Amino acid sequence: MVSPMVRFVSHTMFGCVLLVGFILVQVSLLRLLIFDGFKEATSPLPNLHRIDRVMRRGNELLIEKYENRSRDPMELRWCKKIGEGWTKVVYECEGVAVKVPNTVGKNLRDCLEKEMDTSLKFRSEVCKRHLIESLIKDTITMTTFDGDPMVPELIAYHFPADSSTAERFQVSTPLGTPIDTISLLSMDWVDRMKLVQNITHFMQRNADRHFADLRRQQFVMINSLPHLIDFGDINFTANRTASSIHHAARLYDDFIDHFVHVGAPGGIDREILALAKLVNRHELTLDHIDEFIEKVVK
Ligand SMILES: *[C@@H]1O[C@H](CO)[C@@H](O)[C@H](O)[C@H]1NC(C)=O
Ligand SMILES: *[C@@H]1O[C@H](CO)[C@@H](O)[C@H](O)[C@H]1NC(C)=O
Ligand SMILES: *[C@@H]1O[C@H](CO)[C@@H](O)[C@H](O)[C@H]1NC(C)=O
Ligand SMILES: *[C@@H]1O[C@H](CO)[C@@H](O)[C@H](O)[C@H]1NC(C)=O
């Protein structure tokens, strides 16, 4: 026979064990949450995949498909947003630039307005698909420059299978620093001219391409060398001379005009004037820019 006292104590102890057990479970759940968050914040880009194989066959490009799930885009909140354009948002994640789609950007908003006659849900799917397709196309264009020292290495990518996971699209490349007016003007004149020459040589090596929308913002510095980071509006050219004139005019506007006088050595005014005249006559080519820099940088 168990006395009421013993029964009371044993019940109370059982209650205490339950309570302590309950608290322990809560604490470990909380720990799990905290430490998972912590791990995500500090681990170097987990689960991002290197491209296994990229094969070129004529104008075709085959990228080996992988099944593994990429990082959830929510994890990007631990990365710092460093830029935003019409189609994409760029984050800095531990020294790597990660591009994801801009699902509230101008590109998507314009598309949503255009497809007015369909249901909102359908419209949103179509527009997301267009957006992802254009980002994939740009990434593939980037890989067709294979090996060019002024095209960033593709560290990792994820192409979503359909529009329902469109947000998961991402492309990672080494992080660069923008080439803005201040950084250009604070450079030594000779270094500035050498930078322009690097870009001129890049355009000359790729003379079979037409870069319709060439701008200074499309380049960043990685390891002291300018790199092209924007691959929209690039196709093969039908007329190399016409493309060279187009590219030279864009380089002149964005890198030479306003910049060539600052810190220039004496006695090159005639060369600068000759360059300006060629631009005005729509005759300046990449070869002219290259010759000019060769002549004035000794
Ligand atoms: C997917 O992940 C597994 C385990 O991490 C790995 O063994 C496998 O090679 C990966 N597959 C691809 C195609 O990346
Ligand atoms: C870039 O310019 C520097 C300085 O002129 C030169 O040493 C280097 O070889 C150039 N690199 C490329 C890839 O054009
Ligand atoms: C390439 O783009 C330019 C400018 O956007 C365009 O004029 C030209 O027709 C295009 N060429 C080809 C082959 O698509
Ligand atoms: C190529 O472009 C140049 C410069 O615009 C022009 O003079 C030339 O006639 C073009 N060539 C052809 C084959 O269209």
Side-chain angles (χ1 to χ4, degrees):
M1 164 114 201
V2 183
S3 78
M5 185 62 195
V6 169
R7 202 188 295 162
F8 172 77
V9 167
S10 76
H11 276 190
T12 310
M13 275 178 66
F14 183 62
C16 283
V17 167
L18 267 187
L19 188 67
V20 167
F22 182 73
I23 289 171
L24 278 179
V25 168
Q26 292 302 308
V27 167
S28 56
L29 269 181
L30 200 64
R31 263 176 57 116
L32 211 67
L33 282 177
I34 291 169
F35 284 96
D36 262 11
F38 184 68
K39 201 176 78 210
E40 289 301 348
T42 55
S43 60
L45 297 173
N47 305 329
L48 276 184
H49 301 278
R50 285 193 164 265
I51 281 188
D52 291 314
R53 228 141 36 106
V54 179
M55 287 172 287
R56 260 180 100 170
R57 209 198 288 139
N59 278 338
E60 260 184 0
L61 191 80
L62 306 169
I63 292 185
E64 187 159 296
K65 196 169 172 270
Y66 64 84
E67 272 80 56
N68 290 354
R69 208 177 140 263
S70 178
R71 298 179 84 193
D72 192 285
M74 287 305 289
E75 293 166 28
L76 285 175
R77 62 172 173 256
W78 284 289
C79 302
K80 199 174 88 196
K81 187 164 156 183
I82 53 170
E84 187 171 344
W86 288 8
T87 56
K88 59 201 175 215
V89 182
V90 186
Y91 291 85
E92 184 207 330
C93 310
E94 291 129 19
V96 172
V98 177
K99 298 184 186 83
V100 299
N102 191 347
T103 49
V104 292
K106 178 166 166 48
N107 183 292
L108 203 81
R109 285 203 315 270
D110 286 354
C111 175
L112 285 175
E113 271 168 29
K114 228 187 292 166
E115 308 270 333
M116 265 316 188
D117 47 341
T118 49
S119 80
L120 182 64
K121 188 177 179 307
F122 182 70
R123 240 190 294 160
S124 150
E125 298 240 321
V126 168
C127 290
K128 269 190 197 164
R129 204 176 63 226
H130 286 331
L131 178 65
I132 298 308
E133 278 167 1
S134 85
L135 291 173
I136 289 177
K137 188 169 152 272
D138 292 359
T139 311
I140 288 176
T141 302
M142 174 172 145
T143 63
T144 62
F145 285 83
D146 41 13
D148 193 292
M150 287 173 53
V151 170
E153 173 206 3
L154 189 54
I155 296 174
Y157 73 101
H158 177 77
F159 293 167
D162 60 65
S163 55
S164 68
T165 54
E167 286 85 355
R168 291 213 190 119
F169 169 93
Q170 58 176 266
V171 167
S172 307
T173 53
L175 189 68
T177 50
I179 304 175
D180 52 22
T181 307
I182 293 172
S183 69
L184 267 183
L185 287 179
S186 62
M187 283 171 102
D188 188 69
W189 186 83
V190 169
D191 290 341
R192 199 185 312 139
M193 289 300 117
K194 284 181 170 171
L195 185 151
V196 178
Q197 194 169 38
N198 276 149
I199 296 178
T200 308
H201 287 168
F202 172 78
M203 308 307 295
Q204 288 176 322
R205 305 199 264 288
N206 295 292
D208 58 339
R209 313 253 186 169
H210 185 83
F211 300 77
D213 185 31
L214 195 67
R215 282 173 293 127
R216 196 173 66 227
Q217 293 87 330
Q218 297 179 335
F219 291 90
V220 298
M221 296 303 281
I222 301 173
N223 297 328
S224 312
L225 189 64
H227 282 65
L228 184 68
I229 50 162
D230 204 325
F231 296 88
D233 301 311
I234 298 176
N235 61 18
F236 289 96
T237 184
N239 183 337
R240 289 183 180 220
T241 311
S243 287
S244 178
I245 290 172
H246 172 75
H247 300 149
R250 295 301 310 121
L251 290 190
Y252 183 86
D253 282 353
D254 275 21
F255 290 94
I256 299 175
D257 198 17
H258 305 308
F259 296 109
V260 73
H261 298 283
V262 183
I268 64 158
D269 288 355
R270 256 185 43 191
E271 274 82 9
I272 295 179
L273 201 62
L275 216 53
K277 274 188 181 154
L278 284 169
V279 176
N280 288 336
R281 294 205 301 260
H282 305 287
E283 286 172 6
L284 184 77
T285 62
L286 294 170
D287 291 345
H288 290 132
I289 295 182
D290 192 28
E291 283 159 21
F292 165 78
I293 298 175
E294 279 296 324
K295 204 187 227 174
V296 297
V297 175
K298 279 158 204 137

